[in-house]
Structure formats: structure tokens, C-alpha cells
């Protein structure tokens, strides 16, 4: 049985996904924590049709100073929540503003 669910979403376009059945929820907002490729004028046209699942976009996002620490902290928080949930499922909600580049990238790593 799956006990960890990871969902990403764009806060500008949608509300967070509803909690999974009886799941303990951890939410991480990456809007102001990671570089957003469309904000870079040199990349805006190129990444318009790409997502964080593509290597060049993922590499750009992961080059944000402190990105590795954000990942490490999220893993520790999720591990602690999972232990505290006493067998209940755990849901990780990852969001950024648009939901295409930063949030999707993190769910790929997790």
C-alpha cells in the first residue's frame, strides 16, 4: 500500500489538491525559494512550453543557491511527519505560482 502521496500544483491557477484519505499533510511553497525560468528574459521563450521534468529546466531550478538545503529540509520534515502519522498515509503538497517549473521539478526529485 502506498503511504506517501506527492502532489504539485500552481497556486495562481488552482487550490491545493484535497487531502488524500486520512493523510497527514505537509505543504511546501517554492514560489519565492527557487529560481523561476520564465523570469529570466534569456529563457522565457524557450521554457514557455517546457516543464520541470525536462533536464535543462530542472538544472536551472536546481542551480538556485540553497536548493539542496530546501530538498534536504523537505525530506527531514516528511520523514518526521511520516513517523508521527502512526501508519496513516502522508501527503506532500508542493506548489509554486504557476506549477510548471519549480513545483513539478521537486516532485520529480522526491
Amino acid at each position: 500500500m502506498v503511504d506517501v502521496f506527492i502532489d504539485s500544483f500552481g497556486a495562481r491557477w488552482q487550490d491545493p489538491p484535497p487531502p488524500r484519505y486520512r493523510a497527514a499533510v505537509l505543504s511546501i511553497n517554492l514560489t519565492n525559494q527557487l529560481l523561476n525560468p520564465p523570469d529570466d528574459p534569456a529563457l522565457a521563450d524557450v521554457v514557455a512550453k517546457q516543464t520541470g521534468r525536462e533536464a535543462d529546466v530542472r538544472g536551472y531550478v536546481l542551480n538556485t543557491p540553497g536548493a539542496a538545503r530546501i530538498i534536504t529540509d523537505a525530506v527531514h520534515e516528511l520523514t518526521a511527519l511520516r513517523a508521527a502519522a502512526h501508519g496513516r498515509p502522508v501527503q506532500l503538497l508542493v506548489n509554486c505560482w504557476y506549477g510548471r517549473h519549480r513545483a513539478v521539478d521537486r516532485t520529480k526529485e522526491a
Side-chain angles (χ1 to χ4, degrees):
M1 176 180 181
V2 175
D3 65 345
V4 177
F5 299 96
I6 301 173
D7 296 299
S8 66
F9 68 100
R12 180 176 186 191
W13 310 113
Q14 65 194 95
D15 292 329
R20 305 283 184 138
Y21 177 73
R22 297 187 59 229
V25 178
L26 172 64
S27 181
I28 299 174
N29 183 340
L30 300 175
T31 301
N32 295 316
Q33 295 184 34
L34 297 175
L35 294 172
N36 187 25
D39 291 343
D40 184 332
L43 297 175
D45 290 337
V46 175
V47 299
K49 295 181 181 178
Q50 295 179 326
T51 72
R53 295 189 186 277
E54 297 179 58
D56 55 337
V57 174
R58 186 170 45 257
Y60 183 90
V61 171
L62 291 175
N63 279 324
T64 302
R69 183 65 188 180
I70 293 167
I71 295 166
T72 299
D73 289 350
V75 168
H76 289 168
E77 291 172 17
L78 190 59
T79 300
L81 181 61
R82 201 167 166 213
H86 302 291
R88 288 179 24 219
V90 174
Q91 181 179 12
L92 174 62
L93 298 177
V94 183
N95 80 283
C96 62
W97 190 235
Y98 294 102
R100 291 183 47 89
H101 302 100
R102 295 164 289 181
V104 172
D105 181 53
R106 296 291 30 94
T107 59
K108 175 85 169 158
E109 286 293 315

